[in-house]
Amino acid sequence: MPLPDKRIAAVLQDKVASVGVARKLQPRHVAKPWGRINLPSVFGHIGPDPIGEIWYEGEESDLPLLVKHIFTSERLSIQVHPGDAAAIAEGLPGGKEEIWYILDCEPGARLGIGLNRAVSPEQFRAAALDGSIEQLINWQPVRPGDCYFIPAGTVHAIGAGIMLAEVQQNVDVTYRLYDYGRPRELHLDQGLAVSHLAPYDRPVVHAPSGQDAGCISPSNAPFHLELRHWQSGEHVQLPNARRIWFTPLDGSGMINGAPWAKGDCWLIDQNCRLQIDTPCSALLATTP
């Protein structure tokens, strides 16, 4: 005897809920003067404009996290992001903290994180105006697998020749302090008001792709980030979370029957069925 329509609908709804919901986020290519003309083929862009970032976006505008890939051929501006209190005072929904995971880099590539010595606001302003701020920044060599947490207030810059994945709070706020003479707007007053004018005191986390490193974010970060690695056919236990940003760094497989591959970013949940067809390393980001 056939099931009534309402019972059929309930059975189907329970089945969908037990499997979970997976949505492939759409990549948006963002042109930047310091970007690259040719990106790796998995990112699908060859054109006249230098692409500096790929933003992975969903239909919702209020998702708490944003995942990016960043590609540099020149140095980014020296910049800073505000914390929640300062951002809300400016009419924004919140501040911005981020984590960088280095995917690839050219020999000699460097990141600028924090200052090499403490300075006064007056000294910092003068250095930003005359260009000597470049000598104040603590420039560090990087290698693939390095991971850095960038708290709000950290003066920072990404150097040339770097490809990285960035997970950040989803607020588009950046105060440029210095831009090497490029004709772009600076925000020295706003930036100086929120900058921590001292050295960066956090050790780098080195977690090479191909290793199951587990959690690579500090306990005080506003989100949780894991680096996981799975072999072909391995059963995947996803974090216990309603939203998981799944960013595969290599490999291939299926999510709920849909194919995924390097260059993707998916928004999934703990009930999704993640299948590993070829060995995979991936970043998994969740919020509290």
Side-chain angles (χ1 to χ4, degrees):
M1 181 177 179
L3 291 173
D5 289 346
K6 289 184 178 179
R7 287 185 61 191
I8 292 174
V11 169
L12 291 175
Q13 185 174 5
D14 288 344
K15 185 175 180 180
V16 170
S18 67
V19 171
V21 177
R23 289 172 291 160
K24 184 178 181 179
L25 299 178
Q26 296 306 305
R28 177 159 68 94
H29 294 76
V30 181
K32 296 288 185 178
W34 41 260
R36 299 184 188 180
I37 298 297
N38 295 319
L39 303 186
S41 59
V42 295
F43 298 107
H45 175 82
I46 299 177
D49 297 322
I51 298 300
E53 301 180 350
I54 296 178
W55 296 20
Y56 293 91
E57 300 174 319
E59 296 177 357
E60 309 97 320
S61 61
D62 60 348
L63 289 173
L65 298 182
L66 174 64
V67 174
K68 297 179 180 179
H69 279 94
I70 295 179
F71 314 86
T72 69
S73 63
E74 300 177 11
R75 294 173 293 182
L76 275 70
S77 64
I78 297 174
Q79 57 189 242
V80 69
H81 307 303
D84 287 340
I88 291 170
E90 292 287 333
L92 296 165
K96 178 177 170 182
E97 298 191 325
E98 58 197 26
I99 294 179
W100 300 335
Y101 181 80
I102 308 300
L103 300 170
D104 195 14
C105 57
E106 297 175 1
R110 299 186 301 166
L111 296 174
I113 308 179
L115 308 185
N116 52 37
R117 59 185 174 89
V119 298
S120 69
E122 294 75 20
Q123 289 171 318
F124 189 79
R125 177 185 291 276
L129 292 173
D130 68 17
S132 61
I133 189 174
E134 293 185 51
Q135 286 71 56
L136 274 180
I137 301 299
N138 182 22
W139 295 98
Q140 307 179 29
V142 294
R143 53 182 171 163
D146 284 352
C147 181
Y148 293 89
F149 173 50
I150 308 299
T154 303
V155 178
H156 62 274
I158 299 173
I162 293 174
M163 180 171 73
L164 62 81
E166 177 178 290
V167 183
Q168 62 158 85
Q169 291 177 289
N170 191 12
V171 181
D172 188 15
V173 55
T174 296
Y175 297 149
R176 291 191 201 99
L177 303 167
Y178 178 74
D179 203 23
Y180 313 100
R182 298 184 187 115
R184 298 196 296 173
E185 182 183 6
L186 299 179
H187 316 93
L188 187 53
D189 288 338
Q190 291 166 295
L192 186 57
V194 302
S195 292
H196 181 54
L197 303 180
Y200 176 89
D201 59 359
R202 298 174 180 273
V204 61
V205 174
H206 186 62
S209 177
Q211 298 181 14
D212 199 304
C215 179
I216 57 174
S217 56
S219 60
N220 61 333
F223 52 87
H224 184 87
L225 185 63
E226 298 181 15
L227 174 68
R228 299 294 308 278
H229 183 76
W230 302 288
Q231 298 297 332
S232 303
E234 186 174 343
H235 174 72
V236 175
Q237 182 68 45
L238 291 169
N240 183 19
R242 185 170 61 91
R243 286 174 174 157
I244 305 166
W245 283 258
F246 167 65
T247 307
L249 307 181
D250 47 35
S252 61
M254 308 284 281
I255 302 176
N256 293 355
W260 60 263
K262 178 180 178 178
D264 289 353
C265 182
W266 290 72
L267 189 58
I268 64 178
D269 66 41
Q270 63 194 37
N271 295 315
C272 286
R273 295 175 180 170
L274 178 58
Q275 175 182 323
I276 309 299
D277 291 341
T278 59
C280 163
S281 291
L283 297 173
L284 301 178
T286 57
T287 53

